[in-house]
Amino acid sequence: MKDNSMNAFRLLCCIFTVISLLLIGGSILTIILRGAESLPECLRSPNTRFALGLSIRTASISTLLCFLLAIPTSYILSQMPKK
């Protein structure tokens, strides 16, 4: 029973991975095919630069918080007795 549930979980993970890659790849491909000529002009816009800077700062802070919470939690979980 455990082997079947593990195979189902792996299949579900593979399906979600493929869907995610298609969505991300499709978005990048759309930008490349339809928006490549207007990209330099768009990047010169102050609003676009502000939005990009804000996104990078937000992602950096989020990543730092995840590390600060995940590393001590993983250490504590690794020290717990196994059942």
Side-chain angles (χ1 to χ4, degrees):
M1 180 70 176
K2 186 176 182 181
D3 191 41
N4 285 339
S5 64
M6 189 58 125
N7 286 338
F9 178 72
R10 285 184 180 173
L11 178 64
L12 189 63
C13 286
C14 287
I15 290 170
F16 281 132
T17 301
V18 168
I19 290 172
S20 298
L21 289 174
L22 287 174
L23 288 172
I24 293 169
S27 298
I28 292 172
L29 190 62
T30 301
I31 290 170
I32 290 171
L33 293 177
R34 293 187 181 170
E37 63 273 354
S38 65
L39 190 60
E41 178 186 337
C42 185
L43 290 176
R44 283 189 218 108
S45 166
N47 289 337
T48 303
R49 282 193 271 156
F50 173 76
L52 285 172
L54 185 62
S55 295
I56 291 171
R57 281 192 299 271
T58 304
S60 299
I61 291 169
S62 174
T63 302
L64 180 65
L65 288 174
C66 286
F67 277 124
L68 290 175
L69 292 173
I71 291 173
T73 303
S74 64
Y75 177 76
I76 290 171
L77 288 173
S78 71
Q79 299 302 314
M80 291 179 68
K82 296 179 177 41
K83 291 184 179 183

